[in-house]
Amino acid sequence: MQLKYKFINKMLAATAEYGEISEAVKQARFPVAVSGLSHIHRVIVASALAAEHGLKPLIITPGEAETERVSEDLSALGIGCVIFPSRDYSLRSGVSRSHDYEHQRLGTLSRLSEGDFDIVIASADAAIGRTIPPETLERRCFTLSVGDELEQNELIARLSAGGYVRSEQVDGAGQFSVRGSIVDLFTPNLVLPCRIDFFGDEVDSISLFEADTQRRTESLTSIRITPAAEVSPDSLEDFALRLRTLAEASEADEPRQKRINDDIARFEKGGSASLDAYLDIIYPKSVTVFDYLKSNSPVFIFDTNAVTERIDSVSELHFEEIKALLAEGILPPCFGSVYIDKPTFYSKLKDLGAVFCDTFPKSNFELTPRSVFNLNFKQSSGFTGSVDALAEDISGAKMKLAVILAGGERAASNLCEELCERGIKASFAAEPDRIGEKGVFVTTGVLSAGFELPSARASVTVHGKATVSKRKRRFKAGNAVGSLEELQRGDYVVHATHGIGIFDGVQQLKTQGITRDYIKIKYAGKDALYVPVTSLDLVSKYIGNSEDTTVKLNKLGSSDWHKTRSRV
């Protein structure tokens, strides 16, 4: 763990409150309950405990937005954090969906298996969602090198077991094609597809290539192949046989039998059939991200009430969806649930050890804490006032150690000079490691908020806009759409995940037994995406010339948009 701001951990260590929490964690007196923590306090306390005790914890947040904010702050602190995102489970037959988040999840799980992370962060939805077992993931990840002996048919079988879909030509992640001695495949952990050329049963060459031009770009000596789907059977033939047995057992239930037979036909033709509804057949044991954690991975719950409420909400919505699908007669009889229930969730916390991090003290917990602490830490927003006001604030606070994060090196150096001109004995620390034990220091970097630790007489102030840099600014996207009134049918729009499409109005669709409004976005070919109006923040206006008829629409599931974002 390469910490950027070691001085923050030293500030915390100077407080008696943190020392008591650290001792409780060291002695594994879990569950631990800590109150008096704002967002930024939770982040610095969790990262400090992880660094001090050699932990690789899981942080669970109420939602994806908070997960991103925690990730950005941890990254700013120099923590090697990874996000395990939530995904939509598709229980209906023949519904196409993007596999982007599924690929991200598999990438994160691979890193967890290899121990290649400091902290993993997940929303409540992601934490309770079922996934691929660790031993299955390990078996489906393999390295192929030039000179290896491998029958082409064996490679095809391993790709199929990993959820890859066979197609005429590879143009998106999770696809493969076969032309004579050549196998093209697009593994999700690479930006470009790769071409494997066989000479008999020997791998003769491996190279990357552009999907649109089919031209090779770079030769490789080896390639790491990871699964393309979380839910996929080891043997397609055995799975199809089991589905036929299910269909025969459902003879008196025509809708259910038809659904199973349709899935068999789609699957055997090499089509992309969602297998989430058959999760209990493929993976009889319920596995979640918890099963990838080791004994040195306690779980930090950021905002206990909000996380618990979110789990209740997800469980209730999922129950209503199952009830509606059962009423329609289209769920296979083997289906259980794609989420673990709340008692199982808390059982996982009990096994690993939990640290509940809250703003206000709680009197009731699902797991009774063995150690309870209430801290007197303070949060400060980003300082956007004048330098005169900042100098006055520093002078009046009389802190033993005051650190100002001022963004870039030039901005930090200039701010330090201006503070000195106003009588503040400030020192510029181009590298945070040069910050001493007392005094006023201006250094580079930014966090989402500042804070004060009164008992240590120490503070961190964020000068300027209190935010960390956003990780993916969307290509050719303007402001996020705030209202449907801003869009007209035929407008070009940009979806954060799927790229450029055309707004095609609002439609009402019934899902999970509830009728909701969705905006329809048309993509290349006959592809269409339905986005809930509650998720308009994912859609931005296209800022190019809307009259330009040469604007290229993206294709759902292709690599075009991913490559465009990578170039930008």
Side-chain angles (χ1 to χ4, degrees):
M1 186 179 291
Q2 301 294 322
L3 295 177
K4 181 179 180 181
Y5 298 137
K6 295 179 182 178
F7 68 87
I8 292 181
N9 290 12
K10 292 179 180 179
M11 286 179 173
L12 284 169
T15 67
E17 306 101 302
Y18 173 81
E20 293 173 352
I21 297 170
S22 177
E23 187 64 23
V25 170
K26 180 181 178 181
Q27 297 182 12
R29 295 202 307 268
F30 299 114
V32 175
V34 186
S35 58
L37 301 177
S38 68
H39 158 79
I40 193 64
H41 298 138
R42 296 167 192 159
V43 170
I44 63 172
V45 167
S47 64
L49 290 172
E52 182 179 356
H53 299 293
L55 307 176
K56 289 179 177 288
L58 164 65
I59 293 175
I60 299 179
T61 71
E64 297 295 334
E66 183 65 9
T67 294
E68 286 288 343
R69 185 162 68 145
V70 171
S71 173
E72 290 167 351
D73 276 326
L74 287 174
S75 297
L77 292 173
I79 306 294
C81 61
V82 292
I83 291 178
F84 182 65
S86 62
R87 76 171 178 94
D88 292 330
Y89 294 90
S90 179
L91 302 181
R92 292 182 177 274
S93 179
V95 177
S96 66
R97 57 186 172 86
S98 168
H99 291 275
D100 285 357
Y101 288 117
E102 203 169 338
H103 295 159
Q104 290 178 38
R105 286 161 62 92
L106 288 165
T108 294
L109 293 176
S110 294
R111 293 186 63 176
L112 297 190
S113 295
E114 297 165 3
D116 182 25
F117 73 103
D118 293 329
I119 295 177
V120 57
I121 318 160
S123 66
D125 302 43
I128 64 174
R130 291 173 61 182
T131 187
I132 183 173
E135 61 276 11
T136 304
L137 177 62
E138 183 179 359
R139 187 170 65 250
R140 292 178 181 173
C141 291
F142 61 99
T143 300
L144 199 60
S145 302
V146 173
D148 285 352
E149 289 193 3
L150 178 72
E151 290 185 9
Q152 190 183 76
N153 287 338
E154 183 181 343
L155 175 60
I156 293 170
R158 296 188 73 171
L159 292 176
S160 298
Y164 286 81
V165 176
R166 187 164 181 168
S167 58
E168 291 294 324
Q169 180 174 302
V170 169
D171 62 5
Q175 297 178 344
F176 77 96
S177 66
V178 181
R179 292 177 288 111
S181 64
I182 295 175
V183 176
D184 289 344
L185 67 95
F186 202 151
T187 182
N189 59 321
L190 294 178
V191 176
L192 292 175
C194 73
R195 179 161 292 155
I196 302 169
D197 203 338
F198 284 86
F199 184 75
D201 291 338
E202 181 178 317
V203 177
D204 189 52
S205 67
I206 302 173
S207 58
L208 300 179
F209 69 93
E210 292 281 355
D212 49 356
T213 65
Q214 296 292 300
R215 291 182 179 176
R216 302 182 192 229
T217 61
E218 179 184 355
S219 295
L220 304 175
T221 57
S222 64
I223 181 175
R224 180 70 171 168
I225 299 176
T226 60
E230 282 183 82
V231 185
S232 181
D234 285 326
S235 169
L236 304 186
E237 293 181 359
D238 290 347
F239 180 66
L241 183 62
R242 296 187 69 178
L243 288 192
R244 286 194 179 90
T245 303
L246 268 181
E248 291 171 3
S250 305
E251 186 175 354
D253 193 339
E254 186 176 342
R256 187 169 285 120
Q257 186 182 54
K258 182 179 184 304
R259 186 258 164 87
I260 296 172
N261 285 328
D262 286 347
D263 284 343
I264 293 173
R266 187 178 295 107
F267 200 67
E268 291 185 331
K269 289 179 180 177
S272 179
S274 172
L275 300 180
D276 291 339
Y278 303 101
L279 189 59
D280 288 278
I281 290 181
I282 298 172
Y283 308 136
K285 180 183 176 183
S286 293
V287 171
T288 64
V289 66
F290 292 109
D291 295 280
Y292 283 80
L293 302 177
K294 306 295 189 286
S295 58
N296 67 334
S297 298
V299 183
F300 287 77
I301 307 295
F302 281 15
D303 195 339
T304 309
N305 284 342
V307 168
T308 302
E309 289 170 4
R310 181 59 189 171
I311 291 174
D312 288 338
S313 174
V314 170
S315 300
E316 183 179 349
L317 284 172
H318 184 51
F319 174 77
E320 291 298 325
E321 180 184 16
I322 292 174
K323 190 165 67 173
L325 292 175
L326 286 173
E328 295 177 41
I330 60 173
L331 263 186
C334 59
F335 181 75
S337 175
V338 297
Y339 297 106
I340 59 172
D341 57 22
K342 191 160 70 172
T344 303
F345 170 78
Y346 277 100
S347 175
K348 300 286 188 183
L349 297 191
K350 185 177 180 180
D351 292 342
L352 291 165
V355 182
F356 300 106
C357 303
D358 295 293
T359 304
F360 303 106
K362 282 173 54 66
S363 58
N364 59 321
F365 288 88
E366 297 283 344
L367 295 178
T368 303
R370 293 176 60 196
S371 310
V372 180
F373 305 95
N374 184 30
L375 307 186
N376 182 31
F377 292 172
K378 298 179 181 179
Q379 176 179 315
S380 60
S381 302
F383 200 96
T384 56
S386 66
V387 178
D388 289 333
L390 176 61
E392 184 178 344
D393 189 64
I394 294 172
S395 178
K398 300 188 184 313
M399 290 289 170
K400 178 182 176 182
L401 175 61
V403 179
I404 299 100
L405 303 180
E409 186 171 333
R410 178 179 294 181
S413 177
N414 291 342
L415 177 61
C416 184
E417 290 180 6
E418 292 187 62
L419 288 173
C420 290
E421 291 172 359
R422 288 161 175 78
I424 302 296
K425 295 181 179 180
S427 301
F428 171 57
E431 298 295 332
D433 285 344
R434 298 179 182 177
I435 293 173
E437 295 183 359
K438 61 181 180 179
V440 177
F441 294 87
V442 183
T443 190
T444 58
V446 67
L447 292 171
S448 64
F451 57 87
E452 292 182 16
L453 308 178
S455 62
R457 292 179 55 219
S459 68
V460 171
T461 301
V462 180
H463 185 263
K465 188 177 181 182
T467 182
V468 288
S469 59
K470 299 297 179 183
R471 48 170 74 184
K472 292 179 186 175
R473 192 59 203 137
R474 312 303 177 185
F475 173 72
K476 281 195 173 180
N479 297 325
V481 177
S483 168
L484 290 174
E485 296 177 357
E486 300 176 25
L487 294 176
Q488 295 183 356
R489 189 185 294 269
D491 285 351
Y492 286 105
V493 293
V494 181
H495 187 278
T497 302
H498 305 292
I500 301 172
I502 297 176
F503 174 62
D504 194 35
V506 179
Q507 294 187 16
Q508 286 193 335
L509 299 176
K510 189 175 183 180
T511 59
Q512 301 174 352
I514 302 173
T515 301
R516 295 184 175 91
D517 288 332
Y518 291 77
I519 67 170
K520 180 181 179 182
I521 303 176
K522 294 195 299 185
Y523 285 90
K526 296 182 180 180
D527 291 348
L529 179 71
Y530 293 90
V531 181
V533 295
T534 54
S535 300
L536 277 180
D537 58 316
L538 296 175
V539 181
S540 300
K541 293 180 179 179
Y542 176 78
I543 61 173
N545 183 1
S546 60
E547 303 297 326
D548 187 356
T549 58
T550 64
V551 175
K552 182 181 178 181
L553 301 183
N554 291 113
K555 181 177 177 59
L556 287 181
S558 75
S559 61
D560 294 349
W561 180 242
H562 180 76
K563 288 191 294 183
T564 299
R565 290 184 302 178
S566 299
R567 286 196 298 269
V568 173

